[in-house]
Amino acid sequence: MKTKSKKWISFGILALVIMVAISGLAVWNGTKANEPKPHLSEAQIAELREQYPVCGIKLPPMVDMKVVTLEETIEKAETFVYGEVVGECSTYYKNITTGHEELDEKRKANGISDVYEFYEYTITVLDDSEDKHIKGDEITITANSMFMEYNPQLSDGMRVVVPVIQTKGKASRYYYGVEGMYYVTEDGYALSAFDEQTRAKKAYSGVKVEDLLEALKK
């Protein structure tokens, strides 16, 4: 009888130990989940702005276009690619017509060329918001050369988060712009390349890049 009682006591103690351990783990996980996420201070962000400037302020000459918000960019972009720039930018030329033969003929008669210069950067993909790419994929991001000074100047080794839309004719080439674009610092913090104060309902500058990608999901 005593042996049986001892067994029940031992079982009860073991069950109590397990329950305490589970409760402790739940409390620890809850505390961890409630911990504030890493974030740069306003002073730290301001100090980094010399290296990571806000662009897209003044439109190129003869260009008139609507200012696009971050929220609109999220809706239009196929995905936001987090990647590393490989090499420097290169240029290429593309023939673009209006699609209306009569109008194209008039343009030619008035000396208006259908040939446009574009520039592009090669990007090695590290991640993306919509899981459309595999880590290590290489893509190019491109824009009309008239926007070269309007968009951020990138260089080999820089890391960025950039919204992209696939071009026609080349599967690995994507259009991009400054709207919705972020620089990523060496220690993994994101800083907007555009003016978040006027173009976003919520500012994400200063958050970790993984938190930014989560926030930019559709």
Side-chain angles (χ1 to χ4, degrees), residues 19-181:
M19 287 177 66
V20 169
I22 291 172
S23 298
L25 183 61
V27 170
W28 183 81
N29 282 335
T31 303
K32 189 174 181 182
N34 292 327
E35 285 179 358
K37 293 180 179 179
H39 197 296
L40 296 176
S41 68
E42 292 298 323
Q44 289 173 313
I45 292 172
E47 188 176 345
L48 287 165
R49 278 305 181 189
E50 186 175 343
Q51 184 179 356
Y52 303 105
V54 172
C55 301
I57 304 300
K58 186 178 179 181
L59 284 169
M62 306 300 289
V63 172
D64 183 22
M65 67 180 193
K66 175 183 175 290
V67 172
V68 180
T69 65
L70 174 60
E71 292 71 31
E72 289 171 328
T73 302
I74 292 172
E75 289 300 315
K76 292 178 180 179
E78 293 176 12
T79 187
F80 282 75
V81 170
Y82 169 39
E84 184 171 315
V85 179
V86 179
E88 305 300 326
C89 77
S90 58
T91 58
Y92 66 96
Y93 294 88
K94 190 173 181 180
N95 186 281
I96 301 175
T97 64
T98 65
H100 299 279
E101 188 175 345
E102 189 176 334
L103 181 56
D104 289 335
E105 289 299 324
K106 283 184 179 180
R107 284 167 56 85
K108 287 181 182 179
N110 287 293
I112 302 174
S113 175
D114 290 331
V115 178
Y116 296 87
E117 183 183 52
F118 287 79
Y119 73 99
E120 64 183 352
Y121 293 97
T122 299
I123 301 284
T124 298
V125 176
L126 300 173
D127 199 356
D128 76 291
S129 63
E130 305 300 322
D131 297 323
K132 290 183 176 292
H133 295 277
I134 298 172
K135 184 178 180 180
D137 281 352
E138 279 203 352
I139 65 170
T140 57
I141 56 173
T142 184
N144 192 297
S145 289
M146 70 173 68
F147 291 100
M148 191 176 286
E149 299 298 323
Y150 181 76
N151 293 331
Q153 304 296 302
L154 307 180
S155 59
D156 185 47
M158 284 184 68
R159 291 191 172 188
V160 292
V161 171
V162 55
V164 295
I165 298 174
Q166 192 171 29
T167 66
K168 293 180 180 179
K170 186 176 180 181
S172 62
R173 179 179 282 162
Y174 294 81
Y175 289 121
Y176 87 106
V178 65
E179 292 80 9
M181 188 171 177

Side-chain angles (χ1 to χ4, degrees), residues 5-31:
S5 298
K6 285 181 181 180
K7 285 183 179 179
W8 277 109
I9 292 170
S10 299
F11 179 78
I13 292 172
L14 179 61
L16 182 62
V17 169
I18 292 171
M19 287 177 66
V20 169
I22 291 172
S23 298
L25 183 61
V27 170
W28 183 81
N29 282 335
T31 303

